[in-house]
Amino acid sequence: MENIIQSLLETDLYKFSMGQAIYHNFPDYTTTWTFKCRNKDVKFTKEMVDEIKNQILAYCNLTFKEDELTYLSKVTWIKKSYVDFLRLWHPRYEDFTIGTDADCGLTIETNGTWLNTSLYEIPTLAIVNEVYFRMAYDYKELIASFEEKLDEKIKLLSDKTYNIGAFSEFGLRRRLSAEAQELAVKKLKEANLGDSIFVGTSNVLLAKKLGVNPVGTMAHEWIMCVGQGNHKHNPAYSNWYALDYWVKEYGILNGTALTDAITTDCFLRDFQLTYSTLFSGVRHDSGDPIEWGEKMINHYKSLGIDPATKTLLFSDSLDFKRANDINAHFKGRAKVAFGIGTYIANDTKVPALNIVMKTTACNGQDVAKISDVAGKGMCKNPDYVDYLQRCIDWRMTHEKV
């Protein structure tokens, strides 16, 4: 099998945004990341695991090329000091532990500096996905069904069956293959999409190759590690620490805040006038999107901020039908945008994998996400999840607003 990851640019843009903030503020933080396959009926064979090891080893032999760093440096908020760091950086295979002791037949864990391990997540998941689908199925049949479905869904935008406004492709971590993702982005770029607007892709390499915008926001790891990795912090204030460091790093640039790392209600306690003004918008990633959007609009109004000046970015398990309904509901009341992943990058005649790789420890301490719905979190220590929930509950109950 050819090398799946062919460039260190082949990751989501937010990995570089967070990476720069990590480099400047938390260069000595360490993290543990743990892989999990949520599909109950998926089994990775020994041959698949061996191929995954080979692919990750090949990825670890990559270094940045100068034209890639030149491209990255053109992103408005990327600084020369971080680009210079990347010039020397490459992945370390020694940071990976890969085995078979799991129900699905595959275990992956990475340990090392946050600077390193953060950048491993997306390429690792892309490798696991592509190895699985190429070895478990007839890949030619899958890519044919992928292209057929892609053409059908593009037609739904072209003939204005659906109007989803501004949207981006976010599917790198769960794509069928590099070939499939490139095909999707290329066709979306070239198609007449009616009233819908294709903004770009989270895949930086693909954005460079196809001349579209690289797009991305912060991820849960930022809030979890900044807020919970320092043992002196009360984790119920994770969002305050995370937002504060983000503004110190970027000012008013790159400002889309993720709301659900420790529930949106707790997030809103910290997302007061200064941050609500500085950040250009917020991202939804769990819970009912309509309820969440209404909550955000009411929050902005309560602060005297016109919600129509802010972006509501939706990115949770979307397809064009859901995006169309959300867009219609909020049209004219706020700027609405969508990040759509698996539905664009891995929609075939067989079910997509539901795989994740999450931060499970920072600086030797457990970290956890408690999102707006059960089941999206991942932590090795239930006692820590209980502690975090009690901290949140105490703050929400006792803190004067």
Side-chain angles (χ1 to χ4, degrees), residues 18-302:
M18 290 185 294
Q20 176 172 285
I22 295 165
Y23 176 65
H24 289 142
N25 298 282
F26 308 104
D28 59 344
Y29 272 31
T30 59
T31 51
T32 297
W33 291 70
T34 307
F35 168 85
K36 183 176 183 179
C37 178
R38 292 170 173 160
N39 304 78
K40 299 301 182 185
D41 57 347
V42 166
K43 184 72 175 177
F44 291 88
T45 64
K46 180 184 182 300
E47 290 75 19
M48 290 177 186
V49 175
D50 288 343
E51 182 61 29
I52 288 166
K53 288 180 180 178
N54 291 335
Q55 290 288 342
I56 290 176
L57 182 59
Y59 158 69
C60 289
N61 287 325
L62 294 171
T63 56
F64 279 100
K65 300 180 177 66
E66 280 303 313
D67 68 300
E68 296 171 339
L69 294 172
T70 298
Y71 177 82
L72 195 59
S73 67
K74 292 177 182 177
V75 176
T76 308
W77 54 82
I78 297 295
K79 299 170 183 174
K80 291 180 180 178
S81 57
Y82 181 55
V83 173
D84 275 343
F85 162 75
L86 291 177
R87 184 170 282 112
L88 303 174
W89 184 82
H90 71 88
R92 297 180 72 251
Y93 191 69
E94 295 82 359
D95 291 344
F96 289 80
T97 303
I98 305 169
T100 58
D101 188 20
D103 290 341
C104 70
L106 174 65
T107 61
I108 305 175
E109 194 159 88
T110 59
N111 291 275
T113 63
W114 190 15
L115 267 173
N116 281 356
T117 52
S118 174
L119 286 167
Y120 300 158
E121 176 198 1
I122 306 301
T124 298
L125 291 173
I127 285 169
V128 170
N129 252 303
E130 187 159 347
V131 167
Y132 177 78
F133 285 110
R134 283 187 180 275
M135 295 183 72
Y137 297 97
D138 183 326
Y139 175 75
K140 289 184 178 179
E141 289 184 8
L142 287 190
I143 194 71
S145 71
F146 172 83
E147 187 165 9
E148 182 181 346
K149 284 175 172 279
L150 178 64
D151 290 341
E152 289 171 358
K153 66 187 63 162
I154 287 177
K155 186 176 183 299
L156 293 172
L157 298 182
S158 299
D159 66 15
K160 301 186 181 181
T161 299
Y162 296 137
N163 173 14
I164 65 173
F167 72 101
S168 304
E169 185 277 322
F170 270 27
L172 172 52
R173 71 186 63 205
R174 292 179 186 162
R175 69 188 183 186
L176 171 64
S177 63
E179 176 190 15
Q181 189 184 21
E182 180 170 342
L183 181 66
V185 172
K186 192 169 187 291
K187 288 200 170 193
L188 286 168
K189 176 190 175 185
E190 295 172 352
N192 176 358
L193 300 177
D195 296 325
S196 304
I197 303 165
F198 179 60
V199 175
T201 176
S202 62
N203 183 336
V204 185
L205 180 68
L206 212 46
K208 176 180 182 290
K209 183 176 182 178
L210 298 180
V212 299
N213 291 325
V215 294
T217 66
M218 68 175 71
H220 295 100
E221 68 174 279
W222 175 254
I223 299 147
M224 292 161 62
C225 293
V226 174
Q228 300 169 39
N230 185 326
H231 301 192
K232 297 176 183 178
H233 290 173
N234 180 335
Y237 293 81
S238 294
N239 288 299
W240 184 87
Y241 291 107
L243 294 170
D244 187 57
Y245 274 102
W246 199 261
V247 168
K248 286 176 181 175
E249 181 69 29
Y250 292 114
I252 62 171
L253 297 175
N254 198 18
T256 303
L258 182 56
T259 70
D260 72 331
I262 55 169
T263 75
T264 294
D265 287 340
C266 193
F267 167 84
L268 292 178
R269 291 291 179 96
D270 294 314
F271 199 60
Q272 293 303 313
L273 185 59
T274 297
Y275 293 137
S276 289
T277 302
L278 290 174
F279 281 80
S280 58
V282 284
R283 177 160 77 96
H284 169 266
D285 199 51
S286 65
D288 185 281
I290 301 299
E291 289 181 14
W292 175 87
E294 293 292 348
K295 184 178 290 187
M296 293 310 309
I297 285 174
N298 290 335
H299 180 74
Y300 282 125
K301 286 180 177 178
S302 73

Side-chain angles (χ1 to χ4, degrees), residues 291-317:
E291 289 181 14
W292 175 87
E294 293 292 348
K295 184 178 290 187
M296 293 310 309
I297 285 174
N298 290 335
H299 180 74
Y300 282 125
K301 286 180 177 178
S302 73
L303 299 173
I305 296 172
D306 181 1
T309 66
K310 298 297 181 179
T311 297
L312 304 181
L313 174 60
F314 297 86
S315 62
D316 181 31
S317 304

Side-chain angles (χ1 to χ4, degrees), residues 255-397:
T256 303
L258 182 56
T259 70
D260 72 331
I262 55 169
T263 75
T264 294
D265 287 340
C266 193
F267 167 84
L268 292 178
R269 291 291 179 96
D270 294 314
F271 199 60
Q272 293 303 313
L273 185 59
T274 297
Y275 293 137
S276 289
T277 302
L278 290 174
F279 281 80
S280 58
V282 284
R283 177 160 77 96
H284 169 266
D285 199 51
S286 65
D288 185 281
I290 301 299
E291 289 181 14
W292 175 87
E294 293 292 348
K295 184 178 290 187
M296 293 310 309
I297 285 174
N298 290 335
H299 180 74
Y300 282 125
K301 286 180 177 178
S302 73
L303 299 173
I305 296 172
D306 181 1
T309 66
K310 298 297 181 179
T311 297
L312 304 181
L313 174 60
F314 297 86
S315 62
D316 181 31
S317 304
L318 293 170
D319 56 27
F320 288 169
K321 172 68 168 64
R322 291 189 74 197
N324 175 80
D325 295 346
I326 294 168
N327 187 49
H329 183 88
F330 293 109
K331 194 172 182 64
R333 301 169 61 204
K335 298 175 184 176
V336 179
F338 301 95
I340 304 178
T342 307
Y343 177 72
I344 292 177
N346 195 358
D347 185 14
T348 72
K349 66 179 185 177
V350 302
L353 291 182
N354 186 355
I355 58 173
V356 294
M357 197 158 178
K358 300 288 188 184
T359 330
T360 50
C362 183
N363 297 330
Q365 175 169 296
D366 295 295
V367 294
K369 177 178 77 164
I370 297 179
S371 64
D372 291 333
V373 292
K376 294 201 78 172
M378 183 172 161
C379 181
K380 293 180 179 179
N381 185 355
D383 289 341
Y384 179 76
V385 178
D386 177 67
Y387 163 70
L388 175 58
Q389 186 65 64
R390 286 187 289 112
C391 288
I392 295 168
D393 291 344
W394 194 97
R395 180 182 182 189
M396 299 302 290
T397 304

